[in-house]
Amino acid sequence: MSEQRKAVSLISGGLDSLLATKAMIEQGIHVEGVNFFTGFCVEGHTHAIRKKKTSKPKRNNALWVAEQLGIKLHIVDIVEEYKDVVINPKHGYGAHINPCLDCKIFMVKKAHEWIKENDFDFIITGEVMGQRPMSQRKQTMPIIANESGADELLLRPLCAKNLPLTKPEKEGWVDREQLFGFSGRNRKPQIALAQTWKLDDYAQPAGGCCFLTDPNYSKKMKDLLGHRAEGKTYELDDVMMLKIGRHFRPRDNFKIIIAREEGESRFLQGYKKQFTYLSTLSHGGPLTLIDGSDISAEDIHLAASIAARYGKGKDAEEVTFGVGLIGEEEREFKVKPLKDNEINKEWML
């Protein structure tokens, strides 16, 4: 009896990684999944924080994929290592602040390290040639394999027939005839394959699961990095807070984060000891954090007049706020809410 080969699959939680993994299981390969945690994944954070009801299930889709396929999933924290990928991408950014090609190279590199440490044979991904404009092109597929160090140990089951033979195919560990030649952005072939395998519950594809591809998030991330002291990067708390609330930078030395609903206000409560905060006392309204340096009384007054616009006292003559400075007791003051036409559009991030 031939030895059962082992592969690790990069599991994002989407349809493609689900199908690529299933294709290997169908060929008798022992597959385990790995999900690299960068902090930037869309799922699992905002829809869990917000109180707003939604028909979308609140779940981690990578764990869901592993459960559906009956495989072990390893979640690996790469937050610190990943910072250099975001800030100094060798291959540059996509349309926003998304270092997609460098990201894929880094992920495959980490997977290559993982298979050597865990005595696995090869790596599989759900990549489809032509599906992503930056990282999944004919020209970039070999770059990922080469610069990651994985080389011929990287197999893409969904588009393998469009690519040169890999070691798993050459050695007969997998049957190339049972692999696929998908290409382009049309998902109909993948959806049809999922139906064939009776896989009908999966995350709907919508441009990837990374916040760095989102134009609104990217704008806030660029602003954050642009206002950090030289040599200082970002922390995981920054990544999380950029996903929450309305962000304004009315002056260069500070910005404000205004919760959009009750769930976000509860989340921001956890940061009240780390930031100057504003809470509305006379009317219902959102919690607001002030992030910056050398914040003056005038800055706080401006921040409160903006925040008042987004509470129930927006049409009142004045709104009473509680302001909490770091390490000090909360004190009260009153402001007149700004009107829409008094809020400079350039302040909005």
Side-chain angles (χ1 to χ4, degrees):
M1 183 179 291
S2 61
E3 176 187 358
Q4 185 183 31
R5 294 294 172 174
K6 298 188 290 185
V8 69
S9 177
L10 273 67
I11 301 290
S12 66
L15 176 59
D16 293 336
S17 58
L18 169 67
L19 295 176
T21 306
K22 176 66 172 174
M24 292 295 93
I25 294 172
E26 288 290 303
Q27 291 206 34
I29 303 295
H30 173 82
V31 184
E32 295 184 16
V34 64
N35 177 261
F36 293 113
F37 177 72
T38 67
F40 290 107
C41 192
V42 172
E43 66 185 34
H45 294 139
T46 52
H47 66 231
I49 290 167
R50 291 175 188 150
K51 187 177 181 182
K52 183 179 178 181
K53 292 183 179 180
T54 174
S55 59
K56 183 178 180 180
K58 294 182 178 182
R59 70 190 186 198
N60 180 305
N61 283 317
L63 287 169
W64 178 255
V65 164
E67 181 180 335
Q68 298 310 293
L69 296 175
I71 66 170
K72 182 183 291 186
L73 179 69
H74 306 268
I75 298 178
V76 180
D77 185 333
I78 58 167
V79 170
E80 288 300 316
E81 294 176 86
Y82 195 70
K83 289 178 180 179
D84 193 54
V85 177
V86 175
I87 296 170
N88 302 301
K90 174 183 174 182
H91 296 282
Y93 297 112
H96 304 292
I97 197 170
N98 49 310
C100 293
L101 182 51
D102 290 86
C103 176
K104 183 60 73 173
I105 292 168
F106 183 76
M107 298 288 187
V108 175
K109 177 183 177 182
K110 297 301 293 183
H112 188 230
E113 293 171 0
W114 193 94
I115 65 170
K116 290 191 291 185
E117 293 169 1
N118 293 277
D119 195 28
F120 273 51
D121 298 300
F122 63 102
I123 303 159
I124 58 177
T125 72
E127 293 167 276
V128 172
M129 186 182 293
Q131 190 174 100
R132 303 280 184 227
M134 189 174 182
S135 62
Q136 295 183 28
R137 306 195 317 271
K138 184 176 182 179
Q139 302 93 318
T140 58
M141 292 292 200
I143 292 173
I144 294 167
N146 295 338
E147 294 193 12
S148 67
D151 296 313
E152 289 192 335
L153 295 181
L154 175 58
L155 175 65
R156 291 115 160 172
L158 300 186
C159 64
K161 289 184 177 179
N162 302 323
L163 298 167
L165 287 165
T166 59
K167 184 173 180 178
E169 296 164 279
K170 291 176 181 177
E171 297 292 332
W173 302 344
V174 302
D175 180 4
R176 183 176 174 88
E177 291 306 307
Q178 294 184 54
L179 302 178
F180 305 93
F182 299 156
S183 65
R185 306 190 73 170
N186 187 347
R187 298 298 185 103
K188 289 182 180 178
Q190 289 97 306
I191 292 170
L193 181 60
Q195 291 172 344
T196 299
W197 282 331
K198 294 181 171 53
L199 299 170
D200 56 6
D201 188 354
Y202 48 83
Q204 295 301 315
C209 73
C210 179
F211 263 110
L212 295 174
T213 64
D214 179 85
N216 295 321
Y217 188 91
S218 291
K219 183 179 179 181
K220 288 182 277 191
M221 186 68 178
K222 288 177 182 177
D223 172 80
L224 174 78
L225 296 176
H227 287 85
R228 282 290 158 95
E230 186 176 352
K232 188 175 181 182
T233 61
Y234 62 84
E235 302 302 328
L236 183 57
D237 280 343
D238 296 320
V239 172
M240 296 294 292
M241 289 174 65
L242 289 180
K243 302 174 183 180
I244 299 298
R246 297 179 176 90
H247 291 236
F248 296 80
R249 187 172 291 280
R251 290 179 181 159
D252 200 51
N253 65 307
F254 77 96
K255 77 169 185 177
I256 61 175
I257 305 170
I258 305 173
R260 287 173 291 196
E261 45 90 82
E262 186 180 341
E264 290 189 346
S265 282
R266 285 202 305 268
F267 178 78
L268 293 180
Q269 288 279 343
Y271 292 92
K272 286 172 65 173
K273 292 184 179 180
Q274 297 170 239
F275 295 89
T276 294
Y277 70 86
L278 299 168
S279 58
T280 51
L281 303 178
S282 58
H283 302 77
L287 180 69
T288 300
L289 300 183
I290 305 178
D291 181 11
S293 58
D294 300 320
I295 300 169
S296 66
E298 185 182 353
D299 293 334
I300 293 171
H301 190 278
L302 175 58
S305 64
I306 296 170
R309 158 65 186 82
Y310 295 94
K312 292 184 178 179
K314 64 181 180 179
D315 297 319
E317 280 300 311
E318 61 180 15
V319 174
T320 303
F321 275 88
V323 56
L325 304 179
I326 298 174
E328 297 185 15
E329 290 294 318
E330 182 176 303
R331 61 178 186 268
E332 294 184 14
F333 70 107
K334 301 178 187 296
V335 298
K336 182 178 180 179
L338 288 182
K339 302 298 182 184
D340 282 345
N341 60 3
E342 296 175 309
I343 297 177
N344 191 328
K345 300 301 181 185
E346 293 183 1
W347 297 347
M348 300 179 184
L349 301 176

